[in-house]
């Protein structure tokens, strides 16, 4: 894989003894590569990522992997709150929900897979820790969103995706915002075990709703209404089993 270096000034050192444990995937939410680079290279923006993958599959390195890029913002995964310090960030060129969200081209996904597999091999990143930006910041972020090819990545050995899950679980009702039930408590516990920040209160509060939307965008993209139903609960259990969590 050919990688073009266009250094960004927006990075700093990782804390002593801290390395990359997570791989976080984003979309750029911009109209084209030129706009993306003007944003990621601007010192005043204080935003960057380690890599940018364009729609034609071109890969640009912006920040060395040994450094902390500023891509995740306020985020949390498995109790880790300085996600930037413990992650590699890949920006994937796409207009996003703000600018005309569309499918990711095959060449782009191929490049993300090749780059991502090389990164997780170098750093020993577990499959359960290949993440969407929306996983680590569910109340703020949607990216890379419901059109992203998570199942294809998992089939190529990058990340997790539960295939062929029967929509059966003891949850026969559908729970929405404000509902309280043991099934909600169970789902919150499982979401927390996987890595989401989701306090187990037994009430489907705003924070839990945001986490369910993030989970569904990734693992049940055809319906991300944020409700807890039998299918979502079954897929959550399947993800937990894949992750060994």
């Amino acid at each position: 894989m050919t990688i073009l270096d266009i250094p960004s000034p927006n990075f700093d050192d990782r804390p002593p003894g801290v390395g990359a444990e997570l791989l976080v995937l984003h979309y750029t939410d911009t109209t084209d590569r030129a706009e993306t680079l003007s944003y990621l290279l601007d010192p005043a923006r204080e935003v960057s990522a380690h890599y940018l993958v364009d729609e034609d599959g071109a890969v640009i390195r912006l920040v060395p992997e040994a450094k902390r890029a500023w891509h995740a913002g306020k985020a949390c995964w498995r109790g880790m709150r300085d996600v930037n310090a413990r992650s590699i960030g890949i920006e994937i060129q796409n207009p996003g929900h703000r600018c005309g969200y569309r499918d990711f081209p095959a060449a782009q996904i191929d490049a993300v897979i090749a780059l991502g597999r090389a990164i997780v091999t170098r750093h020993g990143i577990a499959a359960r820790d290949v993440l969407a930006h929306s996983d680590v910041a569910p109340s703020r972020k949607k990216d890379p969103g419901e059109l992203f090819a998570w199942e294809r990545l998992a089939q190529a050995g990058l990340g997790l995706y539960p295939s062929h899950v029967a929509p059966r679980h003891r949850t026969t009702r559908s729970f929405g915002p404000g509902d309280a039930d043991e099934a909600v408590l169970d789902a919150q516990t499982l979401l927390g075990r996987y890595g989401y920040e989701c306090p187990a209160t037994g009430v489907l509060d705003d924070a839990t709703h945001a986490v369910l939307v993030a989970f569904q965008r990734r693992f049940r993209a055809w319906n991300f209404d944020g409700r807890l139903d039998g299918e979502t609960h079954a897929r959550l259990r399947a993800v937990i089993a894949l992750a060994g969590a």
Side-chain angles (χ1 to χ4, degrees):
M1 175 182 13
T2 300
I3 298 178
L4 174 65
D5 282 293
I6 303 180
S8 171
N10 299 334
F11 67 90
D12 60 1
D13 291 330
R14 297 186 190 273
V18 173
E21 303 176 49
L22 314 172
L23 175 61
V24 182
L25 306 183
H26 310 251
Y27 64 31
T28 60
D29 206 23
T30 56
T31 55
D32 56 30
R33 180 169 121 177
E35 182 185 357
T36 300
L37 288 175
S38 71
Y39 191 84
L40 295 176
L41 301 177
D42 182 355
R45 299 277 189 176
E46 297 186 342
V47 174
S48 62
H50 294 89
Y51 295 95
L52 168 65
V53 179
D54 206 351
E55 291 187 294
D56 62 2
V59 177
I60 298 170
R61 180 166 39 225
L62 301 161
V63 174
E65 291 180 16
K67 300 297 184 178
R68 174 167 53 187
W70 305 334
H71 59 96
K74 184 179 180 181
C76 182
W77 187 254
R78 292 199 288 112
M80 294 179 277
R81 295 195 173 278
D82 190 350
V83 170
N84 285 339
R86 298 178 178 275
S87 65
I88 301 292
I90 300 177
E91 288 281 358
I92 303 164
Q93 183 64 49
N94 187 282
H97 292 84
R98 182 177 64 89
C99 300
Y101 191 44
R102 59 177 178 243
D103 288 333
F104 296 80
Q108 186 179 42
I109 295 299
D110 287 343
V112 170
I113 289 170
L115 175 62
R117 289 180 67 177
I119 289 169
V120 300
T121 298
R122 277 195 293 273
H123 297 275
I125 297 172
R128 67 178 288 186
D129 293 326
V130 177
L131 306 167
H133 195 188
S134 55
D135 290 328
V136 301
S139 64
R140 299 188 301 110
K141 295 297 180 178
K142 302 176 181 179
D143 57 313
E146 63 275 9
L147 297 181
F148 191 66
W150 287 108
E151 185 171 14
R152 185 175 163 202
L153 262 68
Q155 290 170 347
L158 187 64
L160 300 175
Y161 191 87
S163 300
H164 311 299
V165 178
R168 294 191 299 272
H169 186 266
R170 66 182 180 86
T171 307
T172 56
R173 290 175 53 196
S174 175
F175 299 95
D179 288 341
D181 194 87
E182 288 185 4
V184 175
L185 179 63
D186 181 64
Q188 290 170 327
T189 301
L190 293 173
L191 288 163
R193 278 172 54 188
Y194 183 49
Y196 291 99
E197 185 174 30
C198 189
T201 63
V203 179
L204 207 160
D205 52 19
D206 290 345
T208 302
H209 181 265
V211 171
L212 284 169
V213 170
F215 177 85
Q216 291 166 339
R217 279 188 192 277
R218 179 168 172 188
F219 296 113
R220 194 189 71 173
W222 53 91
N223 181 2
F224 48 96
D225 59 4
R227 297 184 66 86
L228 176 63
D229 54 23
E231 184 179 50
T232 299
H233 218 147
R235 297 188 77 81
L236 176 53
R237 287 189 172 277
V239 170
I240 289 290
L242 287 172

